[in-house]
Amino acid sequence: MYKILSILFISFLLGQSTPSNEPSFIPGEQYKYDLFVDLIKVGPDLVKLGSATLSTKKIEIINGQKAYHLNFSVKTSKIGDILFKIRDTIDVWVNTESLELIQQTKKLREGSRKSKSFTTIKGNVANTNNKEYIVPESIFDPYALIMILKNANILESQSKKFTILDGGKVREIEIQNIGIKTVRTPAGKFDAYTYKPLHNGKSALKNKGDMQISYGIINNRTVPVKISLKLSKGVIVLKLKKSSNVIN
């Protein structure tokens, strides 16, 4: 009887765990978000000031490698444009096996600042806007990490380091699992585990491009339900509005 109860208890615990070994990217998968700006509220609620889309396109061949193509776009509404206009479009291609960065294009408009960059990697040589430089092995894209981190298996209060390349800048980031948080979005309420950058032993959104990501479960699929992203000025908050995982 004791053995039977033990087996049932273990089965119950396993049933409560998040899905494992699921693909980080599924071609045709798309997430739509409402965009908010931190600290801009009406009563207790943040004010919606735009929208964002995160989608995985069809697999392509880039630099002789099979690659997932991830598109991330952010756009403020007419009201949002008055406060701080954003028109960001980022396309990323990562190796389908290692998930390491192969190519990245960025077209950014944040306030009055505009910038474009094109980065491609061959071996350990990267080229950004016709400037070559050496990069270390196992280099990742920060926006692709939104999809990759859900399978990182970082225990609560533990952290993991990644080397990232963004717009020609290479840096090491440390990501910490800060535990389960209740996250409310237009798509519903989630008990979501949350990852946040770690700086000098403290969790903080410090550097431009830093992200705090909360993951919930929808139809047995781990989904980034909330993303807080540090821009050149301030932090925007993306809350999931709709998700789809139709494979083309």
Side-chain angles (χ1 to χ4, degrees), residues 2 5 17-18 20 39 46 58 69 92 112 129 146 149 163 206 221 224 229 240:
Y2 175 79
L5 290 174
S17 61
T18 57
S20 60
L39 302 180
L46 294 175
K58 293 181 179 180
H69 176 189
V92 177
S112 60
N129 295 347
I146 296 173
L149 281 173
T163 303
K206 178 182 178 182
R221 179 92 171 119
L229 174 61
L240 185 70

Short mmCIF file of all heavy atoms in Angstrom, two decimals, residues 2 5 17-18 20 39 46 58 69 92 112 129 146 149 163 206 221 224 229 240:
data_model
loop_
_atom_site.label_atom_id
_atom_site.label_comp_id
_atom_site.label_asym_id
_atom_site.label_seq_id
_atom_site.Cartn_x
_atom_site.Cartn_y
_atom_site.Cartn_z
N TYR A 2 1.96 1.23 0.81
CA TYR A 2 2.86 2.38 0.88
C TYR A 2 3.49 2.65 -0.48
O TYR A 2 3.59 3.80 -0.92
CB TYR A 2 3.95 2.12 1.92
CG TYR A 2 4.99 3.19 1.98
CD1 TYR A 2 4.75 4.40 2.64
CD2 TYR A 2 6.24 3.02 1.37
CE1 TYR A 2 5.71 5.39 2.67
CE2 TYR A 2 7.19 4.00 1.40
CZ TYR A 2 6.93 5.19 2.07
OH TYR A 2 7.88 6.17 2.10
N LEU A 5 0.95 4.32 -2.82
CA LEU A 5 0.76 5.72 -2.49
C LEU A 5 1.96 6.56 -2.95
O LEU A 5 1.81 7.68 -3.45
CB LEU A 5 0.55 5.90 -0.98
CG LEU A 5 -0.79 5.39 -0.43
CD1 LEU A 5 -0.80 5.49 1.09
CD2 LEU A 5 -1.95 6.18 -1.03
N SER A 17 4.54 19.52 -13.21
CA SER A 17 5.71 20.15 -13.77
C SER A 17 5.40 20.76 -15.13
O SER A 17 4.45 20.38 -15.79
CB SER A 17 6.86 19.14 -13.91
OG SER A 17 6.48 18.10 -14.78
N THR A 18 6.24 21.72 -15.52
CA THR A 18 6.05 22.35 -16.82
C THR A 18 6.49 21.42 -17.91
O THR A 18 7.31 20.54 -17.69
CB THR A 18 6.86 23.66 -16.90
OG1 THR A 18 8.23 23.36 -16.65
CG2 THR A 18 6.37 24.67 -15.89
N SER A 20 8.49 19.60 -20.79
CA SER A 20 9.92 19.57 -21.05
C SER A 20 10.16 19.06 -22.45
O SER A 20 9.31 18.41 -23.06
CB SER A 20 10.62 18.67 -20.03
OG SER A 20 10.11 17.35 -20.10
N LEU A 39 4.94 52.77 -15.30
CA LEU A 39 4.68 53.98 -14.52
C LEU A 39 3.59 54.87 -15.09
O LEU A 39 3.18 55.83 -14.44
CB LEU A 39 5.96 54.81 -14.32
CG LEU A 39 7.13 54.10 -13.63
CD1 LEU A 39 8.32 55.04 -13.51
CD2 LEU A 39 6.74 53.55 -12.28
N LEU A 46 -2.00 49.94 -15.89
CA LEU A 46 -1.15 50.53 -16.91
C LEU A 46 -1.99 50.91 -18.12
O LEU A 46 -3.01 50.30 -18.39
CB LEU A 46 -0.06 49.54 -17.32
CG LEU A 46 0.98 49.14 -16.27
CD1 LEU A 46 1.90 48.05 -16.82
CD2 LEU A 46 1.81 50.35 -15.84
N LYS A 58 9.08 30.43 -41.49
CA LYS A 58 9.52 29.14 -42.02
C LYS A 58 11.04 28.98 -41.88
O LYS A 58 11.78 29.96 -41.88
CB LYS A 58 9.12 29.01 -43.49
CG LYS A 58 7.62 28.92 -43.72
CD LYS A 58 7.30 28.77 -45.20
CE LYS A 58 5.79 28.65 -45.43
NZ LYS A 58 5.47 28.51 -46.87
N HIS A 69 13.71 31.41 -38.29
CA HIS A 69 13.62 32.85 -38.51
C HIS A 69 12.60 33.42 -37.52
O HIS A 69 11.41 33.10 -37.58
CB HIS A 69 13.18 33.11 -39.96
CG HIS A 69 12.96 34.56 -40.26
ND1 HIS A 69 12.39 34.98 -41.45
CD2 HIS A 69 13.22 35.71 -39.55
CE1 HIS A 69 12.30 36.30 -41.45
NE2 HIS A 69 12.79 36.76 -40.31
N VAL A 92 15.73 37.73 -36.71
CA VAL A 92 16.85 36.93 -36.20
C VAL A 92 16.79 35.54 -36.83
O VAL A 92 15.70 34.95 -36.94
CB VAL A 92 16.77 36.81 -34.66
CG1 VAL A 92 17.88 35.92 -34.14
CG2 VAL A 92 16.83 38.18 -34.01
N SER A 112 13.24 60.08 -31.00
CA SER A 112 13.85 60.75 -32.16
C SER A 112 15.05 59.96 -32.71
O SER A 112 15.62 60.33 -33.73
CB SER A 112 14.32 62.15 -31.76
OG SER A 112 15.28 62.07 -30.71
N ASN A 129 27.38 45.78 -40.29
CA ASN A 129 27.47 46.99 -41.12
C ASN A 129 28.87 47.14 -41.72
O ASN A 129 29.50 48.20 -41.67
CB ASN A 129 27.10 48.23 -40.31
CG ASN A 129 25.65 48.23 -39.88
OD1 ASN A 129 24.84 47.43 -40.37
ND2 ASN A 129 25.30 49.10 -38.95
N ILE A 146 14.22 34.86 -25.75
CA ILE A 146 12.82 34.82 -25.29
C ILE A 146 12.26 33.41 -25.48
O ILE A 146 11.53 32.90 -24.63
CB ILE A 146 11.96 35.85 -26.05
CG1 ILE A 146 12.45 37.27 -25.75
CG2 ILE A 146 10.49 35.70 -25.68
CD1 ILE A 146 11.76 38.34 -26.60
N LEU A 149 14.96 30.46 -23.53
CA LEU A 149 15.03 30.36 -22.08
C LEU A 149 13.96 29.45 -21.47
O LEU A 149 14.15 28.92 -20.38
CB LEU A 149 14.92 31.75 -21.45
CG LEU A 149 16.18 32.60 -21.47
CD1 LEU A 149 15.88 34.01 -20.96
CD2 LEU A 149 17.27 31.96 -20.62
N THR A 163 26.45 34.39 -23.58
CA THR A 163 27.14 35.43 -24.36
C THR A 163 26.22 35.82 -25.51
O THR A 163 25.77 34.96 -26.27
CB THR A 163 28.48 34.93 -24.91
OG1 THR A 163 29.30 34.48 -23.82
CG2 THR A 163 29.20 36.05 -25.64
N LYS A 206 18.87 46.95 -16.24
CA LYS A 206 19.86 48.02 -16.21
C LYS A 206 20.29 48.49 -17.59
O LYS A 206 20.29 49.67 -17.88
CB LYS A 206 21.08 47.55 -15.42
CG LYS A 206 22.21 48.57 -15.34
CD LYS A 206 23.40 48.00 -14.58
CE LYS A 206 24.55 49.00 -14.54
NZ LYS A 206 25.74 48.44 -13.86
N ARG A 221 1.80 24.13 -23.69
CA ARG A 221 2.91 24.78 -24.38
C ARG A 221 3.39 25.95 -23.52
O ARG A 221 2.58 26.75 -23.04
CB ARG A 221 2.44 25.27 -25.75
CG ARG A 221 3.51 25.99 -26.56
CD ARG A 221 4.26 25.05 -27.46
NE ARG A 221 5.12 25.77 -28.38
CZ ARG A 221 6.43 25.64 -28.42
NH1 ARG A 221 7.05 24.83 -27.57
NH2 ARG A 221 7.16 26.30 -29.31
N PRO A 224 5.79 32.81 -23.51
CA PRO A 224 6.18 34.06 -22.85
C PRO A 224 4.96 34.98 -22.72
O PRO A 224 4.54 35.59 -23.71
CB PRO A 224 7.25 34.64 -23.78
CG PRO A 224 6.97 34.03 -25.12
CD PRO A 224 6.35 32.70 -24.87
N LEU A 229 10.92 45.10 -21.27
CA LEU A 229 12.08 45.35 -22.12
C LEU A 229 12.63 46.75 -21.87
O LEU A 229 11.91 47.73 -21.96
CB LEU A 229 11.69 45.20 -23.60
CG LEU A 229 12.72 45.53 -24.66
CD1 LEU A 229 13.95 44.63 -24.54
CD2 LEU A 229 12.12 45.42 -26.05
N LEU A 240 0.65 39.39 -23.00
CA LEU A 240 0.08 38.53 -24.05
C LEU A 240 -1.41 38.82 -24.26
O LEU A 240 -2.20 38.85 -23.31
CB LEU A 240 0.28 37.06 -23.68
CG LEU A 240 -0.17 36.06 -24.76
CD1 LEU A 240 0.77 36.11 -25.96
CD2 LEU A 240 -0.19 34.65 -24.18
#
